[in-house]
Amino acid sequence: MMLSTVSSLLLATTQGAPANFWLPKQASTSAQGVDFTFFVITWICYFFFFAIVAALLIFMIKYRRKGHDIIVRGPTHNTPLELAWTILPLILVIVIFVVGMRGYLDLREAPAGSYDIQVTGQKWSWTFDHPEYGATQVGELTVPVGTPVRLLMTSNDVLHSVWIPDFRVKQDVVPGRYTSLWFEALAVGDYNLNCAEYCGKDHSKMFAIVHVVPKEEFPVIMTKLASEYEDMSIGELPAYAINRLYNRCQSCHSLDGTSGTGPSFQGLWDRVNKGETEFTSGEKLSNLLGDATTYNIPENYIRTSILDPQAHIVQGYLGSMPSFQGQLKDKQITAFIELFKHLDEVTDAAGNITVNPDGTPRQ
Ligand code: CUA
């Protein structure tokens, strides 16, 4: 353990050190500074631990009580000693401050021109949006190697925390506000991202994999991800929609039947298909369905609800949904319609998503 610590201190002075007894490998440009601070403090603690124990043992032997009637008066004042135990710790604290502050400032401020990713924490999954490519990932995050990446993060429900141990970065994700962190990955590979804030029953399952890929591969992967639905058959669309598109709806539309800012997606198709939906105007959807009316078939009502949500506002809601005109391609709207029709195949009654984007059952 001691030897491992010595070697780890040496390794901490080179960037990208492998894992050791104390710490996982250094996989980001910030890791070295964090480890260096850790080891400076650890070594100061070692030094004083052994110095104090040694002094304790020596004094126990040297100044032990040697007889019954010897009374020695202790010193009441010693200026050099008092100066020493004031000034030396002060210097040590300043050293720790300087070493720590340098790393802290580096961690706080993302370099200009960083690649931005929007992160949303939600019980109990992570969603990563790439605004530059219009691509969304859930449970996995792909980033280019050797590029500063900035995560702009918020939560849909409770406190979460993004923690990527190999990158030595960790930041709380807070509902109602944004926090950010940044990193620059040193090497291609897969790294763990964990939730580091106890957030309820499935906190331990709230993790994601960070895929660090070569710079030149990154745009290819992102472009493919942004348009993956284009090659999909109709039958594959519900699994795609629930994993890749639903995260944009989840804050308002539940999957378990509870009302939010908007109606739940559970049973939505049934209500729409039967024309049961009532609007704030007092009209019933059934009166608007059929040839020579507003919506010849229910699918068109769904389409309008996504592109022009204010056209007909469902009774009991405020109509606060934004238009998704220009944000969703036609096939993605089809994917939503397929999702509503087959919601029970991709979620359970409690509203948990049960399939992966490729349709395989989710663990
Ligand atoms: Cu999210 Cu713990």
Side-chain angles (χ1 to χ4, degrees), residues 121-126 155 157-162 173 194-200 202-207:
Q122 188 199 11
K123 292 192 277 185
W124 287 275
S125 67
W126 295 106
S155 166
D157 37 47
V158 298
L159 282 175
H160 302 281
S161 182
V162 160
V173 178
N194 301 313
C195 179
E197 189 70 54
Y198 182 64
C199 55
D202 288 336
H203 158 73
S204 62
K205 292 182 191 162
M206 192 170 168
F207 55 84

Side-chain angles (χ1 to χ4, degrees), residues 158-197:
V158 298
L159 282 175
H160 302 281
S161 182
V162 160
W163 180 35
I164 313 172
D166 290 353
F167 293 175
R168 308 289 194 278
V169 289
K170 183 168 166 227
Q171 175 64 52
D172 278 5
V173 178
V174 185
R177 61 180 288 187
Y178 296 103
T179 54
S180 78
L181 68 74
W182 79 277
F183 56 79
E184 181 180 329
L186 289 173
V188 169
D190 286 352
Y191 304 93
N192 290 320
L193 183 156
N194 301 313
C195 179
E197 189 70 54

Side-chain angles (χ1 to χ4, degrees), residues 238 241-242 246 265 334-343 346:
I242 196 72
Y246 172 67
F265 281 173
T334 306
F336 269 115
I337 294 169
E338 289 305 309
L339 171 65
F340 297 147
K341 288 180 181 175
H342 302 279
L343 193 71
V346 294

Side-chain angles (χ1 to χ4, degrees), residues 90-106:
L90 185 69
I91 292 171
L92 280 176
V93 171
I94 291 171
V95 167
I96 294 172
F97 173 78
V98 170
V99 169
M101 193 67 185
R102 276 171 49 194
Y104 177 79
L105 290 177
D106 177 51

